[in-house]
Amino acid sequence: MRIAEARVVVTCPDRNFVTLKLVTDDGLTGVGDATLNGRELAVAAYLNEHVLPVLIGRDAARIEDTWQFLYRGAYWRRGPVTMTAIAAVDTALWDIKGKAAGLPVYQLLGGRCRDGVTVYGHANAETVDDVLAEVGRYVDMGYRAVRVQTGIPGLASTYGVSGDKMFYEPADAALPSENVWSTPAYLNHVPTVFERVRAEFGPGLALLHDVHHRLTPIEAARLGRSLEPYALTWMEDPVPAELQEGFRLIRRHTTTPIAVGEVFNSIWDCQQLISEQLIDYVRTTVVHAGGISHLRRIFDLAALYHVRSGSHGATDLSPVCMAAALHVDLSIPNFGLQEYMRHTPATDAVFPHSYRFADGYLHPGEEPGLGVDIDEDLAAQYPYRPAQLPVNRLVDGTMHNW
């Protein structure tokens, strides 16, 4: 079972996606997500120029050897472009492996550890009254967990708040748009939001909030402490994770759980945070952390230190990645939550899939492999459209983390 064909498909059914498709000499196909939001063509070029030529003729069954070849064989290793490209290959090979075995991928990973995958949705609005209505809408749809983001009084725009409530896409322009940020206004406002949400929906609904790397450790500690009365499931990305010892300071001052890791690319990015128990949820994902094989390593390490999974699942991760994530989620013992931002009808049509949502859970389906594919003829009708993520400045014009 040798790899006979390998091609990269770039398409934009309402947003840009990069997909790798592998075909074996006996006709089996496998797909892998290679989307890196705002840098899609960099990964496509890396695959086309450096990876695809070495895949032709390789044994498709040797998943681990191929992963090591692409990782150890690249002197300039790690980084989001390289690891996203490796992830695409790894995921496609797992898809092929499942089809060859006639089993869904989760069965090859050890079988079910749960009946379904608990997911959370995104309730966002400019005002607190409107966000309460949005939370209620997700509860009515059956969600058991909801991330809450609101506008900040005095700021023209705020991360996570979108005019399109169901299909939020932050990459909104060919050149980066600029947002303005005020940490004092944010810290004063957010606790009042969760006070009202918790009073409205009671203690049973899991609530989450994304800080999006915008605070210093002591500011994050203040926020975490102010949110303790509202029992959040997690406070996400409170600070940039380059200085990981900063999380020790947050830990000393608050018991609000911490989730981090959607921008991590390898187990070494989160080793200290996990082994020192500085976080509660690790949010690495299939497409940006080296594929199914490497993500399992990260979650296995996390399990030793009481850290659970909370994988990223925004709209810039295609249905191929979502399907792969569900097979991992279903099979690991330390699953926490899975982010689930729904894709538009156009995206779902380009990527037909068997996973489904019911009663707050996602189910990957029982088709052999990942249970997802790409309609290449339909994908060709949606050409690439340049789109970049915004940048962020403080009120005085200083560049800040977006």
Side-chain angles (χ1 to χ4, degrees):
M1 189 171 64
R2 301 279 172 178
I3 299 171
E5 300 176 40
R7 53 185 177 268
V8 176
V9 180
V10 180
T11 184
C12 186
D14 296 322
R15 73 147 342 270
N16 294 315
F17 296 105
V18 180
T19 307
L20 173 66
K21 190 156 194 176
L22 302 180
V23 183
T24 67
D25 53 9
D26 53 359
L28 292 178
T29 63
V31 289
D33 189 9
T35 308
L36 186 61
N37 200 352
R39 298 293 185 268
E40 294 90 354
L41 296 185
V43 184
Y46 189 97
L47 284 166
N48 280 316
E49 296 174 17
H50 305 292
V51 176
L52 267 56
V54 303
L55 292 180
I56 303 303
R58 290 188 65 87
D59 185 349
R62 297 180 63 173
I63 299 176
E64 182 63 28
D65 181 66
T66 299
W67 195 97
Q68 297 294 338
F69 180 87
L70 295 175
Y71 181 84
R72 295 179 185 273
Y75 183 74
W76 308 108
R77 61 175 88 171
R78 296 170 64 179
V81 173
T82 296
M83 297 304 284
T84 299
I86 292 175
V89 176
D90 184 82
T91 304
L93 292 178
W94 277 104
D95 193 17
I96 289 171
K97 178 82 78 172
K99 291 172 181 175
L103 294 170
V105 166
Y106 78 81
Q107 293 286 15
L108 304 181
L109 299 175
R112 290 178 178 268
C113 282
R114 56 199 48 82
D115 295 329
V117 174
T118 306
V119 297
Y120 68 91
H122 288 212
N124 73 92
E126 282 293 341
T127 69
V128 180
D129 287 340
D130 287 344
V131 88
L132 289 173
E134 287 298 309
V135 174
R137 188 160 69 103
Y138 276 96
V139 171
D140 290 344
M141 285 189 288
Y143 282 77
R144 301 162 184 265
V146 181
R147 193 186 84 167
V148 179
Q149 310 289 139
T150 68
I152 307 301
L155 300 184
S157 61
T158 307
Y159 165 76
V161 178
S162 169
D164 190 331
K165 303 304 180 191
M166 191 61 69
F167 307 116
Y168 172 60
E169 173 51 61
D172 57 1
L175 296 176
S177 58
E178 294 197 5
N179 296 169
V180 176
W181 176 253
S182 169
T183 296
Y186 169 77
L187 290 175
N188 289 332
H189 182 63
V190 169
T192 68
V193 175
F194 281 93
E195 180 180 23
R196 290 192 58 187
V197 174
R198 187 58 82 194
E200 178 80 14
F201 293 96
L205 180 65
L207 298 177
L208 307 90
H209 178 67
D210 188 359
V211 184
H212 222 246
H213 315 103
R214 299 192 175 195
L215 302 180
T216 64
I218 197 65
E219 291 167 345
R222 171 186 162 188
L223 177 64
R225 179 172 288 183
S226 70
L227 293 174
E228 285 176 10
Y230 315 115
L232 268 63
T233 296
W234 75 47
M235 173 176 66
E236 179 182 333
D237 289 339
V239 298
E242 289 94 337
L243 181 63
Q244 298 198 346
E245 66 183 50
F247 285 79
R248 295 189 193 127
L249 190 151
I250 303 173
R251 272 287 201 236
R252 285 199 295 266
H253 292 283
T254 181
T255 58
T256 295
I258 299 169
V260 71
E262 70 183 58
V263 300
F264 290 170
N265 308 128
S266 76
I267 195 168
W268 296 279
D269 293 326
C270 49
Q271 180 182 8
Q272 179 184 2
L273 292 174
I274 290 171
S275 63
E276 295 186 21
Q277 300 181 64
L278 300 177
I279 60 174
D280 303 280
Y281 296 87
V282 59
R283 287 181 35 75
T284 46
T285 190
V286 170
V287 66
H288 297 144
I292 291 173
S293 298
H294 198 63
L295 190 63
R296 276 299 299 259
R297 291 191 186 97
I298 293 172
F299 290 159
D300 285 345
L301 173 67
L304 300 178
Y305 295 96
H306 310 291
V307 175
R308 290 183 282 179
S309 73
S311 287
H312 185 49
T315 49
D316 59 315
L317 280 60
S318 84
V320 174
C321 181
M322 180 56 68
L326 295 176
H327 287 276
V328 175
D329 295 336
L330 206 63
S331 65
I332 59 172
N334 57 323
F335 170 76
L337 280 175
Q338 170 66 55
E339 182 178 17
Y340 176 43
M341 292 186 71
R342 294 166 183 256
H343 294 104
T344 66
T347 295
D348 285 337
V350 169
F351 296 95
H353 54 267
S354 63
Y355 65 77
R356 59 185 178 83
F357 175 83
D359 193 28
Y361 301 108
L362 275 177
H363 304 270
E366 296 300 316
E367 292 186 9
L370 295 175
V372 64
D373 203 350
I374 181 169
D375 183 331
E376 295 184 67
D377 292 334
L378 186 56
Q381 298 179 25
Y382 298 100
Y384 171 80
R385 185 174 66 241
Q388 295 196 44
L389 294 169
V391 297
N392 211 25
R393 293 185 184 272
L394 300 181
V395 175
D396 68 0
T398 304
M399 284 298 302
H400 194 60
N401 299 307
W402 185 82

